[in-house]
Amino acid sequence: KQIISQHADKWTDRGGIYSLAQGVVYWKPPAAALEAVAAAAASDDTLHTYCPDEGTIELRAALIDKLEKENGLENVDIIVTSGANQAYVNCVLTLIDEGDKCVVFRPYYFNHVMAIQMSRGEDSLLVGPTGEDGVPDLDWLRNQLIGDGGDLIKVVTLVNPGNPTGVSLPRSYLEEAVALCREFGVWLIMDNTYEHFDHTGANGYGDGLVSNASSSVDAVTKVPFWCSSDEHVINIFSFSKAFSLAGFRVGYIAISNATSKSKECYEQMLKVQDTIAICPARVSQIAALASVNVGREWVSGNVKTLDGGREAILDALSPLDSIMGGSGAMYVMAKLP
């Protein structure tokens, strides 16, 4: 990735470089987002100032509405971050002390591993296996939790849809993971950066009607991408992919406010937030707010255009014995002969 970015200017007169080293969409941000930024630059007298550590009131209100309607999440508090990577670092620094363990599953998102290594050391990293289908092994996780040193495991990390596996995890699997972590009192971090790229609709039931067991509403709720709002689950989201705001650096964390444990986690994480970034940039939040208001349909229309390319890649790789991915995110992995 760094080599490509450093030398991209040398290829400008030859059409540029099409990098496969990073998950970047081809479309530009919503026009409304760029227009909102331009208008704010011309007239907003507060653009240069700090905002609340957790983000602007307007953006957080819009995100709470989005989370309920699109993810089935209720009774949550929001922290807006400088991208999903900072969101994960916030979680690591808040939840893991010296000597604790954090689980990731191979093949893993490398920035998650580096966040653990740099802040808590190599000994805090526990890497689990993933099956040939790209699904992290929960039987392995259970054995680790009940085995010697299982009490040192404080956090489990899942990425859905997977980066770099390209696999969308089904709702039934997610519920099992939530229940397992609840059973052992372990935090579950769900990185939902690619929530809009659930190509097969794996994260729902049938026509998209799903029951949210964590919700106060004892009814079936229709949501495009279900997330658990259990007190021990922390959900991470991003504007970088779906809304193409990668350079604006906006992500956010949703934490349950239903229990004293989750409320304490939120309060402690705000201290981390204030130490790292103080607050996210106002101008970036303006772009994010306008993007939320544009809505999921705008994203879905763009994501749909990826179908042809994804199908062509899967077809080209079909002679190989082992292929992982294609159901989620923008990644496919294949084992060469």
Side-chain angles (χ1 to χ4, degrees):
K1 182 176 71 175
Q2 283 131 330
I3 292 174
I4 291 172
S5 62
Q6 288 170 2
H7 298 281
D9 61 306
K10 300 179 177 64
W11 294 79
T12 303
D13 59 349
R14 285 177 276 183
I17 294 177
Y18 290 88
S19 172
L20 298 181
Q22 195 172 18
V24 180
V25 297
Y26 73 87
W27 55 83
K28 296 186 182 302
L34 301 180
E35 291 166 1
V37 168
S43 61
D44 190 340
D45 291 336
T46 67
L47 202 59
H48 64 289
T49 65
Y50 293 127
C51 71
D53 286 6
E54 59 269 38
T56 63
I57 295 174
E58 296 82 4
L59 178 56
R60 285 184 286 121
L63 291 175
I64 287 174
D65 184 62
K66 174 265 181 187
L67 290 170
E68 180 178 354
K69 293 177 179 177
E70 298 185 16
N71 306 111
L73 283 175
E74 297 179 333
N75 302 318
V76 294
D77 287 326
I78 305 296
I79 298 178
V80 182
T81 57
S82 297
N85 278 340
Q86 193 224 319
Y88 189 78
V89 171
N90 278 13
C91 292
V92 170
L93 293 177
T94 302
L95 302 176
I96 304 175
D97 291 324
E98 185 177 354
D100 291 341
K101 299 282 187 181
C102 180
V103 173
V104 301
F105 290 89
R106 183 182 288 112
Y108 45 69
Y109 177 46
F110 65 95
N111 276 357
H112 287 168
V113 169
M114 290 196 296
I116 299 165
Q117 290 171 328
M118 289 191 297
S119 61
R120 291 296 182 249
E122 189 72 32
D123 289 343
S124 289
L125 180 65
L126 183 59
V127 181
T130 296
E132 291 187 2
D133 57 358
V135 177
D137 189 341
L138 292 184
D139 289 334
W140 172 89
L141 178 59
R142 175 174 287 279
N143 288 334
Q144 294 298 312
L145 289 167
I146 64 178
D148 292 339
D151 59 324
L152 297 178
I153 298 174
K154 304 301 182 183
V155 176
V156 173
T157 305
L158 292 176
V159 184
N160 186 46
N163 176 7
T165 63
V167 172
S168 282
L169 300 173
R171 165 83 185 269
S172 58
Y173 173 91
L174 297 176
E175 289 180 327
E176 183 181 353
V178 170
L180 179 59
C181 290
R182 183 194 307 120
E183 178 183 348
F184 288 91
V186 174
W187 289 97
L188 175 61
I189 300 175
M190 290 298 312
D191 187 335
N192 307 295
T193 291
Y194 293 91
E195 60 164 317
H196 298 81
F197 297 80
D198 181 18
H199 305 302
T200 58
N203 204 355
Y205 290 144
D207 61 355
L209 292 174
V210 299
S211 61
N212 190 341
S214 306
S215 172
S216 59
V217 181
D218 294 326
V220 176
T221 308
K222 186 173 183 178
V223 294
F225 189 84
W226 176 83
C227 296
S228 173
S229 56
D230 273 30
E231 66 161 328
H232 66 290
V233 179
I234 297 177
N235 286 286
I236 293 175
F237 302 87
S238 175
F239 283 88
S240 294
K241 310 303 180 182
F243 293 103
S244 195
L245 294 179
F248 282 86
R249 308 308 304 135
V250 189
Y252 57 104
I253 303 167
I255 304 176
S256 170
N257 59 22
T259 68
S260 58
K261 176 182 177 180
S262 57
K263 289 179 180 177
E264 175 67 13
C265 174
Y266 183 82
E267 292 301 321
Q268 295 303 318
M269 194 174 294
L270 282 178
K271 298 176 184 178
V272 175
Q273 172 86 346
D274 189 72
T275 303
I276 294 178
I278 299 180
C279 64
R282 283 186 180 272
V283 66
S284 297
Q285 293 180 84
I286 288 171
L289 176 59
S291 297
V292 173
N293 291 335
V294 166
R296 199 178 190 95
E297 288 187 4
W298 181 89
V299 178
S300 298
N302 283 306
V303 172
K304 187 67 177 175
T305 65
L306 302 177
D307 287 352
R310 186 177 65 259
E311 291 167 2
I313 291 172
L314 290 172
D315 182 64
L317 296 175
S318 61
L320 298 175
D321 293 334
S322 178
I323 301 174
M324 180 188 296
S327 63
M330 53 185 73
Y331 309 110
V332 178
M333 303 183 73
K335 187 175 182 179
L336 299 176

